Amino acid sequence: MRKRLLRLAVFLVIIGLAVNLCCIVICASSWSSKKPKWKYINGSWYLYDPFFGKICTGWQKVGGVWYYLDGRTGAMKTGWVEDNGIWYYMNSSGAMQTGWKKLSGNWFYFSSSGAMKTGWQLLDGKWYLLDENGIMKTGWQQDEDTWYYLDSTGAMRTGWLGKDNKWYYLKSNGAMLTGLQWIGKDLCYFEDTGVLRSGKKPTSDSSLLVHINIPNYNQDVYGYPLGCEAVSLYMALRGLGYMNDMSIHEFIDTMPIGETPYLGYMGNPRVGRDGENAGKRTSIYPEPLSVWGSNYATVEDLTGASTEKLAEELKAGHVILIYATGGWNEPKWKVFPWSINPRGEVTNNHCLSVVGVYDDGSFLVNDCGSKYCEYKVEKDTFEMVYNARKFAVSVH
């Protein structure tokens, strides 16, 4: 009798489990069948939620796409939509737009959240000016008391600008120069309108293809007479937006020290070549420099790269640090006990930032050790000095 009751109990348990499993399957099927569905009613699209039995309103994400449904009627919106003071644009299918869009003959930029942007915007390494209505501006534009020039693509121009047989010069931040100014090694005078009145004009066969804006920190002014590598790296990081909360002094305090430049900085960048730096090759080479910089951004050792490779990096928006020589003179070599290169080390070493490339193969540098800050280095001179070692670092 007990065995029969036990069998009956086991049978009932199995039946109960089967019923519960069926209920779960049915419920899951019922749930999936109650996903929101689009319905076209009287010329408008609506998103109906059968699970809650109502029309959806506001922002709704369907199939990875954002839509905006009228807060009162639920009708899908197209075209311009304002929500909490922010403008968005929905295409004819109702999908929220992002990135550059040309609407009614004007270009607009929408962020990844769909918000229409205004004012100055840094996009893909270039600055653009969008007015209060979001329209991209071109040509001469005045912002407060400063004039800027934006080319036909909307990108802010820097450096020399030739317009209507007149020459202008735009600083690395785009500001038009006036008055007496040093341009590289040449003293020039610009009228109040920005037109060059006296001074050396740029050659017509050389135009700047790429110009990356970074600040200049003079290594002597900031107290690092032998710290050109660290100062140049800080300039690149700061210019690319990575060091807003760290001063140059705090940054250089973190620089690795090594017994040779292949391991870290050899010597003391804060003092001259005498005293504790006597007999040392005061420098930090690309490998430890890039490892250190990688704590703050993407910094790569490009040792061995050709000048063509450097140009490609610049066109990608990357700042390049190269190991050149002081005054771009011929390298002077000396063998140290730790030297790997049979020729030894370059004793007149100087590291600086490369921030631009010209169509004739010349380069624009931002030099932490020069009063001229930015200047052009002709192709032959650049290659003669750079190719002696091909030491380079990419920062982005």
Side-chain angles (χ1 to χ4, degrees):
M1 182 68 177
R2 289 181 179 176
K3 289 183 179 181
R4 293 177 66 184
L5 290 174
L6 182 59
R7 288 175 186 154
L8 179 61
V10 170
F11 177 74
L12 292 174
V13 169
I14 293 173
I15 292 297
L17 289 173
V19 169
N20 286 335
L21 180 59
C22 289
C23 289
I24 292 172
V25 172
I26 292 170
C27 288
S29 175
S30 175
W31 177 271
S32 64
S33 67
K34 291 188 176 181
K35 291 182 179 179
K37 295 181 180 179
W38 289 106
K39 291 190 175 184
Y40 191 69
I41 305 172
N42 295 330
S44 296
W45 284 98
Y46 298 83
L47 188 62
Y48 179 72
D49 189 342
F51 186 79
F52 292 103
K54 65 176 185 178
I55 297 292
C56 298
T57 60
W59 288 103
Q60 300 292 332
K61 193 173 187 180
V62 181
V65 177
W66 283 101
Y67 298 85
Y68 188 79
L69 310 175
D70 188 276
R72 185 176 60 84
T73 66
M76 183 189 77
K77 306 289 287 185
T78 60
W80 289 101
V81 170
E82 183 183 13
D83 183 40
N84 291 325
I86 299 174
W87 284 97
Y88 303 82
Y89 190 82
M90 330 301 284
N91 68 10
S92 58
S93 299
M96 183 190 77
Q97 301 297 285
T98 60
W100 285 109
K101 297 297 171 185
K102 192 173 186 179
L103 307 170
S104 302
N106 295 310
W107 283 99
F108 298 82
Y109 186 82
F110 300 90
S111 70
S112 58
S113 68
M116 183 193 78
K117 305 300 287 185
T118 61
W120 287 103
Q121 300 294 328
L122 180 61
L123 306 170
D124 296 325
K126 297 179 181 180
W127 284 99
Y128 298 83
L129 179 60
L130 310 172
D131 69 14
E132 64 276 10
N133 297 313
I135 297 174
M136 183 191 79
K137 308 301 289 182
T138 60
W140 287 108
Q141 299 294 329
Q142 186 176 22
D143 185 18
E144 296 183 350
D145 296 328
T146 304
W147 283 94
Y148 302 84
Y149 188 82
L150 311 168
D151 65 22
S152 59
T153 69
M156 183 188 78
R157 288 287 301 271
T158 59
W160 284 107
L161 173 68
K163 291 290 294 180
D164 303 321
N165 296 318
K166 298 175 182 178
W167 285 101
Y168 305 81
Y169 193 85
L170 309 166
K171 293 171 60 177
S172 59
N173 65 359
M176 183 190 76
L177 288 182
T178 60
L180 198 61
Q181 303 285 345
W182 282 101
I183 306 298
K185 299 180 181 180
D186 300 307
L187 187 61
C188 301
Y189 180 76
F190 300 88
E191 296 178 353
D192 291 342
T193 59
V195 175
L196 175 67
R197 181 52 55 200
S198 64
K200 185 178 179 180
K201 296 180 181 179
T203 56
S204 59
D205 61 348
S206 175
S207 62
L208 190 59
L209 301 177
V210 177
H211 185 192
I212 303 171
N213 301 322
I214 66 172
N216 182 275
Y217 289 77
N218 186 282
Q219 63 188 89
D220 294 313
V221 172
Y222 280 86
Y224 301 98
L226 298 181
C228 55
E229 301 90 351
V231 174
S232 295
L233 178 57
Y234 183 80
M235 286 165 51
L237 291 169
R238 188 65 184 265
L240 295 173
Y242 291 107
M243 305 299 291
N244 295 329
D245 298 323
M246 181 177 283
S247 71
I248 187 171
H249 306 296
E250 293 170 327
F251 174 68
I252 293 181
D253 282 344
T254 68
M255 180 168 60
I257 305 299
E259 293 296 320
T260 77
Y262 290 101
L263 301 176
Y265 188 87
M266 185 181 187
N268 183 349
R270 297 172 177 82
V271 298
R273 298 191 183 279
D274 299 327
E276 62 182 290
N277 286 332
K280 295 180 180 180
R281 174 71 290 269
T282 48
S283 181
I284 177 173
Y285 283 172
E287 183 177 358
L289 186 75
S290 59
V291 171
W292 173 38
S294 295
N295 293 317
Y296 306 96
T298 300
V299 182
E300 301 175 89
D301 182 357
L302 290 186
T303 296
S306 65
T307 53
E308 290 78 13
K309 173 62 175 176
L310 300 186
E312 290 176 7
E313 290 282 322
L314 289 165
K315 291 175 183 177
H318 304 171
V319 176
I320 307 298
L321 309 187
I322 67 160
Y323 290 63
T325 58
W328 292 90
N329 296 313
E330 288 192 21
K332 297 178 181 179
W333 298 87
K334 178 181 178 181
V335 176
F336 290 80
W338 44 265
S339 293
I340 297 175
N341 188 330
R343 300 180 67 184
E345 316 305 316
V346 173
T347 58
N348 57 340
N349 172 72
H350 180 56
C351 180
L352 45 75
S353 304
V354 185
V355 295
V357 60
Y358 294 81
D359 60 1
D360 64 354
S362 302
F363 288 89
L364 181 69
V365 301
N366 193 327
D367 189 345
C368 66
S370 171
K371 67 178 182 179
Y372 302 115
C373 299
E374 283 191 346
Y375 56 87
K376 179 182 179 182
V377 181
E378 298 297 335
K379 182 174 185 284
D380 291 343
T381 301
F382 188 95
E383 290 181 346
M384 181 270 291
V385 174
Y386 171 72
N387 287 340
R389 291 179 290 175
K390 291 188 176 181
F391 278 8
V393 170
S394 172
V395 184
H396 54 100

